[in-house]
């Protein structure tokens, strides 16, 4: 069936309603797309089947791994409370992600041609808000079922309550994030909402680790409070939806476009297998938030001493990197308590993540030839200076987490620590990706082997270190 022609002459006189504009755009788009409704439903069916099949396989494999004797047995109460802490930390990170994404966003074309026009903003954004609410509720319901299944729950009614609780809290979080998006800049309550679950997760983790180190463990509650969580989420989601609908007219164009930039960078990074595209955007936005800094002179000395002071001062102006570095220490202690059989491998991975957070100066120098020319000296000298901070950070982190693992041979720990520094150095000094490399035709499609090789420059060495620790630790 051929769509009706959509031309400028079809535009109604006066200010059109949001529904009229959407209808007009839908007709115009249908002239440039040959996908039918059946094709869309077929793609959706394949996607749901893919997610369901591989999702259930991942849950089953994770349950088998947690029950494996090689992982080690921890007290059920310890695992339960650490799982609660992990969920709280995930909720805080999800809130930060929603705040970074928007969650309401529009494309640049929509921003120029629709949101800048005198169209009712609430009517224009309401369908997007409803779709986001449904998606958030469905996604968090599936997450609730997955968490319950990982915990060994098989009763259908219990899984249903877990799904309902997840859907309720997901809808509430999405609605409140829309309210936060419409708030004026400088309001502190969105930051507090994101910080509360993170602080609660840190407190629970510290308490569990402390009690576990003292030789006792926290007991697990008799029942999982999914019904209470659902009962608490329903009124919160209702109030959040009412406030969000009222706040839709106040969502300005700037916040709608900011989320679109983040989404486009994430999609581009996924397609091009280059996460540095997304990381670069996040880092540039982080530095732009610092409106004013106080200039201070460096201590006198040679050039390398000034560059080293600049790298240290970078961390002072980017405290979240140090905060994550410190938080990973607690995560390592928690992992060693919950999964003692994998404590050594976890130490290698978390040490890499901690060191990688300190390589901001190394990445900046390595990815900017102009900056290297302006600083002077050879490339190796500049990279050698900027690897000092992550190397010292990795060494201190390793020493602080030594009580969590079996030391093994005397040479193993120093070798793994140096390997972690080397992996962070290789990841930080990765050159720009060359997209003209070789690809391999497989039964699953074309695989860009050269792209994967370049992207795994640091993680590949990390995987070797993990294998060494598992076999020799």
């Amino acid at each position: 069936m051929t769509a009706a022609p959509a031309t400028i002459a079809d535009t109604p006189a006066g200010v059109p309603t949001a529904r009229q504009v959407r209808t007009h755009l839908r007709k115009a788009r249908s002239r440039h797309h040959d996908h039918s409704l059946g094709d869309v439903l077929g793609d959706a069916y394949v996607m749901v089947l893919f997610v369901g099949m591989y999702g259930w396989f991942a849950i089953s494999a994770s349950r088998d791994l947690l029950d494996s004797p090689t992982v080690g047995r921890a007290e059920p109460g310890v695992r339960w409370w650490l799982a609660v802490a992990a969920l709280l930390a995930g909720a805080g990170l999800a809130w930060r992600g929603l705040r970074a994404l928007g969650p309401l966003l529009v494309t640049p074309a929509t921003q120029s041609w629709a949101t800048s026009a005198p169209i009712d903003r609430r009517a224009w954004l309401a369908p997007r808000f409803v779709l986001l609410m449904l998606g958030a509720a469905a996604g968090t319901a599936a997450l609730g079922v997955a968490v319950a299944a990982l915990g060994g729950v098989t009763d259908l009614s219990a899984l249903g309550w877990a799904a309902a609780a997840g859907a309720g809290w997901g809808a509430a979080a999405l609605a409140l994030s829309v309210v936060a998006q419409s708030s004026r800049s400088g309001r502190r309550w969105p930051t507090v909402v994101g910080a509360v679950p993170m602080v609660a997760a840190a407190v629970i983790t510290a308490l569990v680790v402390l009690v576990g180190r003292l030789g006792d463990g926290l007991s697990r509650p008799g029942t999982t409070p999914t019904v209470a969580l659902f009962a608490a989420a329903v009124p919160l989601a209702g109030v959040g939806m009412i406030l969000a609908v009222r706040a839709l007219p106040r969502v300005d164009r700037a916040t709608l476009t900011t989320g679109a930039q983040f989404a486009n960078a994430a999609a581009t990074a996924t397609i091009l297998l280059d996460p540095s595209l997304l990381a670069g955007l996040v880092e540039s936005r982080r530095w732009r938030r610092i409106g004013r800094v106080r200039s201070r002179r460096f201590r006198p000395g040679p050039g390398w001493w000034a560059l080293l002071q600049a790298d240290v001062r970078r961390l002072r102006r980017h405290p979240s990197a140090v905060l994550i570095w410190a938080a990973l220490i607690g995560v390592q202690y928690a992992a060693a308590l919950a999964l003692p059989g994998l404590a050594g491998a976890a130490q290698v991975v978390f040490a890499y993540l901690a060191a990688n957070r300190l390589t901001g100066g190394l990445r900046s120098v390595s990815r900017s030839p102009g900056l290297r020319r302006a600083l002077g000296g050879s490339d190796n000298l500049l990279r050698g200076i900027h690897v000092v901070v992550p190397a010292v950070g990795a060494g201190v982190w390793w020493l602080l987490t030594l009580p969590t693992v079996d030391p093994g041979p005397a040479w193993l720990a120093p070798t793994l620590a140096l390997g972690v520094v080397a992996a962070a150095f290789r990841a930080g000094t990765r050159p720009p990706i060359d997209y003209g490399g070789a690809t391999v035709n497989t039964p699953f499609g074309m695989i860009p082997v050269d792209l994967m090789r370049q992207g795994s420059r640091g993680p590949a060495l990390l995987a070797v270190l993990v294998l060494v620790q598992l076999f020799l630790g």
Side-chain angles (χ1 to χ4, degrees), residues 197-273:
M198 301 288 286
V199 173
V203 171
I204 291 176
T205 302
L207 185 61
V208 171
V209 171
L210 182 61
V211 174
R213 286 282 165 181
L214 294 177
D216 201 355
L218 296 177
S219 60
R220 175 178 178 172
T223 58
T224 304
T226 52
V227 178
L229 290 174
F230 174 72
V234 169
L236 186 61
V239 173
M241 289 177 62
I242 295 174
L243 295 176
V245 171
R246 291 180 178 178
L248 286 179
R250 299 194 300 271
V251 180
D252 56 21
R253 294 170 54 197
T255 57
L256 291 172
T257 309
T258 301
Q261 293 176 352
F262 189 84
N264 290 334
T268 306
T270 303
I271 294 173
L272 298 181
L273 298 178

Side-chain angles (χ1 to χ4, degrees), residues 134-345:
L134 294 176
T140 49
L143 180 62
V145 173
V147 172
L150 275 176
V153 177
T154 56
D155 183 59
L156 291 180
S157 62
L159 291 176
W161 282 114
W169 282 99
L174 193 282
L176 292 177
S177 66
V178 171
V179 179
Q181 187 178 5
S182 66
S183 301
R184 289 178 297 178
S185 60
R187 294 294 182 91
R188 300 185 64 86
W189 73 266
T191 305
V192 174
V193 170
V196 167
M198 301 288 286
V199 173
V203 171
I204 291 176
T205 302
L207 185 61
V208 171
V209 171
L210 182 61
V211 174
R213 286 282 165 181
L214 294 177
D216 201 355
L218 296 177
S219 60
R220 175 178 178 172
T223 58
T224 304
T226 52
V227 178
L229 290 174
F230 174 72
V234 169
L236 186 61
V239 173
M241 289 177 62
I242 295 174
L243 295 176
V245 171
R246 291 180 178 178
L248 286 179
R250 299 194 300 271
V251 180
D252 56 21
R253 294 170 54 197
T255 57
L256 291 172
T257 309
T258 301
Q261 293 176 352
F262 189 84
N264 290 334
T268 306
T270 303
I271 294 173
L272 298 181
L273 298 178
D274 188 2
S276 63
L277 298 175
L278 179 60
L281 175 64
V282 173
E283 191 166 357
S284 65
R285 290 178 60 181
R286 180 190 303 124
W287 287 113
R288 283 202 300 268
R289 292 195 197 103
I290 304 176
R292 185 177 58 183
V293 297
R294 179 179 298 176
S295 298
R296 294 178 55 189
R297 290 181 179 273
F298 291 131
R299 295 184 182 277
W304 66 266
W305 175 238
L307 292 175
L308 186 58
Q309 293 179 71
D311 204 17
V312 175
R313 193 168 297 180
R314 166 189 288 271
L315 291 180
R316 292 178 55 189
R317 293 175 178 173
H318 180 26
S320 63
V322 182
L323 187 62
I324 294 174
W325 177 89
L328 285 172
I329 297 176
V331 174
Q332 168 60 23
Y333 275 86
L337 200 60
L339 308 171
L342 298 179

Side-chain angles (χ1 to χ4, degrees), residues 32-443:
H32 302 280
H33 296 280
D34 55 357
H35 296 289
S36 63
L37 180 60
D39 295 335
V40 175
L41 293 178
D43 294 341
Y45 169 76
V46 172
M47 186 175 297
V48 171
L49 181 63
F50 181 84
V51 173
M53 183 174 60
Y54 284 96
W56 187 251
F57 172 75
I59 292 173
S60 301
S62 300
R63 288 180 60 177
D64 294 340
L65 177 64
L66 292 176
D67 295 335
S68 173
T70 58
V71 173
R73 296 288 181 180
E75 293 292 334
V78 171
R79 287 193 177 186
W80 194 90
W81 283 107
L82 289 179
V84 171
L87 286 177
L88 289 172
L93 293 175
W95 176 263
R96 291 175 63 89
L98 287 174
R99 296 282 297 128
L101 192 60
L104 289 173
L105 53 89
V106 297
T107 62
T110 303
Q111 185 219 3
S112 299
W113 295 99
T115 57
S116 61
I119 299 176
D120 184 4
R121 186 67 58 85
R122 175 182 294 158
W124 178 260
L125 295 176
R128 299 169 187 265
F129 173 65
V130 173
L131 289 177
L132 284 175
M133 286 288 292
L134 294 176
T140 49
L143 180 62
V145 173
V147 172
L150 275 176
V153 177
T154 56
D155 183 59
L156 291 180
S157 62
L159 291 176
W161 282 114
W169 282 99
L174 193 282
L176 292 177
S177 66
V178 171
V179 179
Q181 187 178 5
S182 66
S183 301
R184 289 178 297 178
S185 60
R187 294 294 182 91
R188 300 185 64 86
W189 73 266
T191 305
V192 174
V193 170
V196 167
M198 301 288 286
V199 173
V203 171
I204 291 176
T205 302
L207 185 61
V208 171
V209 171
L210 182 61
V211 174
R213 286 282 165 181
L214 294 177
D216 201 355
L218 296 177
S219 60
R220 175 178 178 172
T223 58
T224 304
T226 52
V227 178
L229 290 174
F230 174 72
V234 169
L236 186 61
V239 173
M241 289 177 62
I242 295 174
L243 295 176
V245 171
R246 291 180 178 178
L248 286 179
R250 299 194 300 271
V251 180
D252 56 21
R253 294 170 54 197
T255 57
L256 291 172
T257 309
T258 301
Q261 293 176 352
F262 189 84
N264 290 334
T268 306
T270 303
I271 294 173
L272 298 181
L273 298 178
D274 188 2
S276 63
L277 298 175
L278 179 60
L281 175 64
V282 173
E283 191 166 357
S284 65
R285 290 178 60 181
R286 180 190 303 124
W287 287 113
R288 283 202 300 268
R289 292 195 197 103
I290 304 176
R292 185 177 58 183
V293 297
R294 179 179 298 176
S295 298
R296 294 178 55 189
R297 290 181 179 273
F298 291 131
R299 295 184 182 277
W304 66 266
W305 175 238
L307 292 175
L308 186 58
Q309 293 179 71
D311 204 17
V312 175
R313 193 168 297 180
R314 166 189 288 271
L315 291 180
R316 292 178 55 189
R317 293 175 178 173
H318 180 26
S320 63
V322 182
L323 187 62
I324 294 174
W325 177 89
L328 285 172
I329 297 176
V331 174
Q332 168 60 23
Y333 275 86
L337 200 60
L339 308 171
L342 298 179
Q347 187 190 29
V348 175
V349 175
F350 292 144
Y352 170 78
L353 296 177
N356 195 44
R357 297 304 302 169
L358 307 180
T359 57
L362 183 63
R363 291 196 302 269
S364 299
V365 168
S366 301
R367 296 172 185 174
S368 176
L371 179 60
R372 293 199 298 273
R373 287 194 294 270
L375 293 175
S378 65
D379 292 351
N380 292 332
L381 175 63
L382 294 175
R383 289 167 179 159
I385 294 171
H386 287 86
V387 81
V388 171
V389 171
V392 172
V396 174
W397 193 96
W398 195 275
L399 291 175
L400 292 176
T401 56
L402 272 182
T404 62
V405 296
D406 185 2
W411 55 268
L412 183 60
T415 303
L416 292 177
L418 290 175
V420 166
V421 176
F425 178 79
R426 286 178 59 80
T429 57
R430 180 179 63 78
I433 287 184
D434 180 12
Y435 294 97
T439 59
V440 176
N441 191 7
T442 69

